[in-house]
Amino acid sequence: MREYVANISRSGAFIRCVEPLPVGSRVRVRFLVIDDEVESGEGEGEVVRGQNDPPGMGVGFNELDPGSDAVVKKMLEKALAGRREAEGRDVMAAL
């Protein structure tokens, strides 16, 4: 199954897909971060929920491969920096 991550945290991710796997399904996850360089992460997870709008499934990470937690951390830091930048633009626009 090749889909994309719509939301990620240290404990899991929401994966957009047309046909979510059943809750309880064990999955092998792989993700790429494309920034200044391409980095990848992998690990084992379990489907903890499925939903239709938007379609997809929540996957809890059971275990990430060595180094993959650093990739997740980098993704989260980048997302937080982007939110802070957007908030700063909103404040400047209001002045």
Side-chain angles (χ1 to χ4, degrees):
M1 175 179 278
R2 289 182 184 256
E3 304 298 342
Y4 69 94
V5 173
N7 191 350
I8 192 164
S9 71
R10 287 185 176 220
S11 62
F14 180 75
I15 301 171
R16 296 279 307 239
C17 58
V18 176
E19 296 180 27
L21 296 172
V23 171
S25 297
R26 297 188 57 83
V27 294
R28 179 88 182 152
V29 293
R30 277 184 242 153
F31 45 90
L32 291 174
V33 179
I34 302 171
D35 198 11
D36 294 333
E37 56 189 61
V38 176
E39 297 182 76
S40 65
E42 294 188 43
E44 299 289 330
E46 183 175 330
V47 177
V48 294
R49 69 182 173 95
Q51 68 182 49
N52 295 324
D53 188 24
M57 60 189 170
V59 174
F61 298 142
N62 293 336
E63 183 177 345
L64 293 176
D65 293 351
S68 295
D69 54 342
V71 175
V72 170
K73 183 178 177 184
K74 184 175 183 176
M75 291 171 70
L76 295 172
E77 288 170 351
K78 184 176 179 182
L80 180 60
R83 277 197 296 268
R84 286 183 179 151
E85 183 178 314
E87 289 171 1
R89 283 195 304 267
D90 290 344
V91 169
M92 293 299 289
L95 295 177

